[in-house]
């Protein structure tokens, strides 16, 4: 069995893990022909904006982050793939790899398990469209056991079918790169090993809002469990969508399906979940503490550290994060309760862009034990220092599992020889033994509106780095 190896040496505070660590190797487009192959690893970059480099000594915590898996019911009538052709802000309405989301999450779980972390934090958008069957599938992957990715009737019913004459969509049976039978294979049940470590969820906008933008309504609930699927907008809907307002979806669906439809198999397992349903289910599945409508809590993170999870989702709709006044009082208490222990804060949305986030950051600024604020949501790798009078901490954003590069993030918090700490972080590629996840990575790389052209992978310093504090 492969185990975690921690290496500390003069001039090098690196940490390596199992076969999926990008410190060892990662995927590159060596021939610049759109084909990913295994290439050399990426050594960690020393980031010394907040403290000088020093050798790591005692490990305090090893943990991992999985974010933005977007487990998707790609056959759902509640999805509006047709919007994708309109461009920004609708470019995530369809992805060529969207039928493979459960397998990608499974491959990420297998990679994280190789790390043997103390904890795994799932920072939101675990599912794509706030549906019961999506959450059931995602939790089956994380918890371990049989996973059934299919919905509706046996067989694939959706825009990627070979019989669909619309060339906008990637149809794996007929379009390059051709993968005959891919959609049939993607619907087959499989067994996930589940996370071996305790996991801790945060709420994302896609977990509780339709397409991550609007609160479920009676109309959207009926569409989700119904038997008619939209394939083309009518003129009124097209004019409304041309405003480029992401909230237009709710207004359009409030009066029924606005355009041409086809018949699909209805499935009551697609029922839309309320935010209360999602929070309750996540608490039960992960055994995290707390009561009430918001998923705010703290937990022990290895030795001498605490994790703090903030719920940043506005239940009224929209993608902008929200920190409420009552949460600031709770955060103040959570930081005080941590005492002299180091603190890592987790949220779905970046606190820097959330409404009320400035006040939350002010609390973190005043606490000398905060090491980092870690988020998902952006689908982009980014690491920036936040300097404060007491020294500062690191703002870390992590790429998604749905878009290229489809990686998880690993962390090691360690003491250093100069009495400070270093937060070592590196990316984990999904486990190559999951064939459909490997195909998904390749398709995500080729997506002309996806993570590659948008540079979601970030720079080397945003991926593998030693963050001195």
């Amino acid at each position: 069995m492969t185990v975690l190896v921690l290496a500390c040496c003069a001039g090098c505070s690196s940490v390596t893990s199992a076969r999926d660590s990008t410190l060892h190797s990662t995927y590159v487009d060596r021939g610049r022909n759109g084909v990913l192959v295994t290439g050399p690893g990426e050594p960690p970059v020393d980031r010394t904006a907040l403290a000088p480099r020093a050798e790591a000594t005692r490990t305090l915590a090893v943990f991992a982050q999985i974010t933005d898996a977007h487990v998707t019911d790609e056959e759902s009538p509640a999805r509006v793939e047709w919007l994708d052709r309109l461009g920004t802000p609708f470019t995530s309405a369809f992805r060529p790899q969207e039928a493979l989301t459960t397998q990608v999450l499974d491959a990420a779980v297998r990679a994280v398990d190789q790390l043997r972390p103390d904890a795994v934090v799932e920072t939101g958008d675990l599912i794509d469209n706030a549906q019961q069957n999506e959450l059931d599938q995602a939790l089956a992957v994380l918890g371990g056991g049989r996973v059934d990715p299919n919905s509706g009737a046996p067989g694939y019913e959706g825009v990627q079918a070979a019989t669909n004459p619309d060339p906008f969509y990637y149809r794996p049976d007929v379009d390059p790169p051709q993968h005959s039978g891919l959609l049939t294979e993607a619907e087959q049940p499989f067994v996930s090993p589940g996370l071996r470590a305790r996991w801790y969820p945060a709420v994302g906008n896609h977990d509780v809002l339709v397409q991550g933008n609007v609160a479920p309504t009676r109309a959207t609930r009926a569409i989700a469990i119904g038997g008619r699927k939209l394939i083309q907008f009518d003129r009124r809907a097209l004019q409304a969508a041309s405003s480029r307002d992401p909230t237009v979806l709710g207004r359009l669906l409030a009066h029924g399906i606005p355009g041409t439809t086809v018949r699909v198999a209805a499935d009551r397992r697609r029922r839309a979940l309320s935010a209360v349903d999602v929070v309750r289910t996540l608490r039960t599945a992960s055994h995290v503490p707390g009561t009430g409508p918001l998923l705010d809590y703290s937990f022990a993170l290895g030795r001498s550290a605490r994790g703090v999870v903030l719920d940043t989702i506005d239940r009224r709709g929209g993608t902008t994060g929200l920190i409420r006044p009552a949460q600031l009082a709770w955060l103040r208490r959570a930081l005080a309760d941590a005492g002299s222990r180091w603190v890592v804060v987790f949220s779905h949305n970046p606190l820097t862009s959330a409404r009320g986030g400035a006040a939350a950051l002010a609390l973190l600024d005043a606490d000398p034990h905060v090491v980092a604020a870690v988020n998902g949501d952006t689908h982009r790798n980014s690491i920036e220092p936040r300097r404060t009078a007491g020294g500062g901490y690191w703002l870390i954003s992590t790429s998604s599992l749905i878009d290229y590069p489809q990686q998880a993030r690993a962390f090691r918090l360690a003491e250093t020889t100069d009495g400070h700490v270093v937060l070592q972080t590196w990316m984990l590629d999904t486990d190559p033994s999951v064939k459909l996840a490997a195909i998904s990575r390749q398709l995500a790389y080729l997506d002309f509106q996806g993570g590659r052209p948008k540079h979601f992978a970030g720079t080397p310093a945003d991926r593998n780095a030693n963050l001195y504090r």
Side-chain angles (χ1 to χ4, degrees):
M1 181 176 294
T2 307
V3 299
L4 177 72
V5 178
L6 301 179
C8 301
C9 58
C12 176
S13 293
S14 64
V15 57
T16 62
S17 66
R19 62 187 177 190
D20 305 313
S21 167
T22 60
L23 294 169
H24 292 313
S25 64
T26 191
Y27 295 95
V28 297
D29 185 358
R30 183 177 293 139
R32 299 186 180 275
N33 57 3
V35 177
L36 293 174
V37 297
T38 302
E42 294 187 332
V45 177
D46 284 334
R47 303 285 300 269
T48 57
L50 302 180
R53 183 178 59 80
E55 185 177 343
T57 57
R58 187 170 71 114
T59 297
L60 301 178
V62 176
F63 56 101
Q65 178 194 12
I66 289 175
T67 195
D68 296 85
H70 288 266
V71 168
T72 301
D73 177 4
E74 77 282 1
E75 300 175 276
S76 172
R79 302 195 70 244
V80 284
E81 299 95 340
W82 200 85
L83 277 174
D84 193 80
R85 72 192 67 221
L86 301 182
T88 305
F90 307 115
T91 53
S92 61
F94 169 76
R95 295 176 173 94
Q97 70 275 14
E98 64 185 24
L100 308 172
T101 52
T102 53
Q103 292 86 1
V104 172
L105 182 57
D106 173 50
V109 163
R110 293 171 186 269
V112 167
D113 281 347
Q114 292 278 328
L115 183 68
R116 295 188 178 181
D118 299 312
V120 180
V121 185
E122 184 277 308
T123 50
D125 282 0
L126 179 62
I127 60 177
D128 189 65
N129 205 27
Q131 291 183 191
Q132 177 71 63
N133 64 326
E134 291 178 339
L135 189 56
D136 288 344
Q137 292 169 24
L139 293 179
V141 174
L142 297 181
R146 186 178 186 271
V147 183
D148 185 359
N150 193 29
S151 70
Y156 176 81
E157 291 181 319
V159 298
Q160 291 186 272
T163 55
N164 185 0
D166 189 341
F168 180 82
Y169 304 109
Y170 168 67
R171 300 156 299 181
D173 284 312
V174 295
D175 296 327
Q178 189 172 352
H179 294 283
S180 298
L182 179 66
L183 298 174
T184 298
E185 191 173 357
E187 293 190 340
Q188 300 307 305
F190 63 90
V191 175
S192 168
L195 287 169
R196 297 174 185 168
R198 181 83 181 269
W199 67 280
Y200 300 88
V203 176
N205 51 302
H206 280 262
D207 298 324
V208 298
L209 301 173
V210 178
Q211 294 286 280
N213 281 286
V214 298
T217 64
R218 179 177 298 180
T220 61
R221 290 187 178 96
I223 291 170
I225 62 174
R228 305 296 305 185
K229 182 174 177 63
L230 177 72
I231 59 170
Q232 185 171 345
F233 276 15
D234 60 25
R235 181 176 298 178
R236 176 182 62 85
L238 185 59
Q239 290 174 340
S242 66
S243 69
R244 297 295 192 267
D245 178 0
T247 66
V248 72
L249 173 64
R251 298 198 301 272
L252 291 174
L253 297 181
H255 305 289
I257 303 178
T260 305
T261 65
V262 294
R263 183 170 295 281
V264 295
D267 191 338
R268 298 197 67 82
R269 296 175 299 171
R270 292 173 174 147
R271 75 177 184 92
L273 297 168
S274 70
V276 171
D277 291 333
V278 173
V279 169
R280 182 189 303 116
T281 302
L282 289 174
R283 276 200 185 111
T284 300
S286 61
H287 308 290
V288 298
T291 59
L294 298 180
L295 197 60
D296 295 327
Y297 61 95
S298 62
F299 62 97
L301 188 59
R303 299 185 294 178
S304 307
R306 295 288 292 177
V308 175
V309 175
L310 283 171
D311 187 330
T312 58
I313 304 307
D314 188 343
R315 307 313 200 248
R316 297 168 298 181
T319 60
T320 303
L322 173 66
I323 298 293
R324 305 150 185 87
Q327 290 179 279
L328 295 174
W330 178 87
L331 177 59
R332 185 179 291 107
R333 292 193 299 273
L335 293 173
D337 290 344
S340 61
R341 289 170 290 185
W342 298 105
V343 174
V344 180
V345 178
F346 301 92
S347 61
H348 180 63
N349 300 91
L351 296 179
T352 51
S353 61
R355 296 192 302 274
L361 287 167
L363 292 176
L364 304 189
D365 293 348
D367 192 313
H369 299 101
V370 175
V371 177
V374 180
N375 64 268
D377 182 52
T378 65
H379 294 209
R380 182 185 301 276
N381 287 321
S382 174
I383 301 176
E384 296 294 336
R386 182 173 174 90
R387 297 175 177 85
T388 67
Y393 52 95
W394 295 94
L395 302 175
I396 302 173
S397 181
T398 299
S399 57
S400 70
L401 288 180
I402 184 65
D403 289 318
Y404 180 79
Q406 297 192 333
Q407 294 171 327
R409 187 183 283 277
F411 297 90
R412 176 201 181 208
L413 178 64
E415 293 176 340
T416 57
T417 52
D418 62 357
H420 293 265
V421 291
V422 60
L423 184 62
Q424 300 172 323
T425 183
W426 66 102
M427 307 310 295
L428 298 174
D429 284 318
T430 55
D431 194 297
S433 69
V434 182
K435 183 186 74 171
L436 295 189
I439 293 174
S440 179
R441 182 192 302 110
Q442 180 65 64
L443 294 178
Y445 183 71
L446 295 175
D447 183 3
F448 77 101
Q449 296 184 129
R452 176 182 51 83
K454 293 179 180 178
H455 307 290
F456 283 167
T459 69
D462 296 318
R463 297 190 288 269
N464 299 350
N466 298 319
L467 309 175
Y468 295 96
R469 160 72 170 80

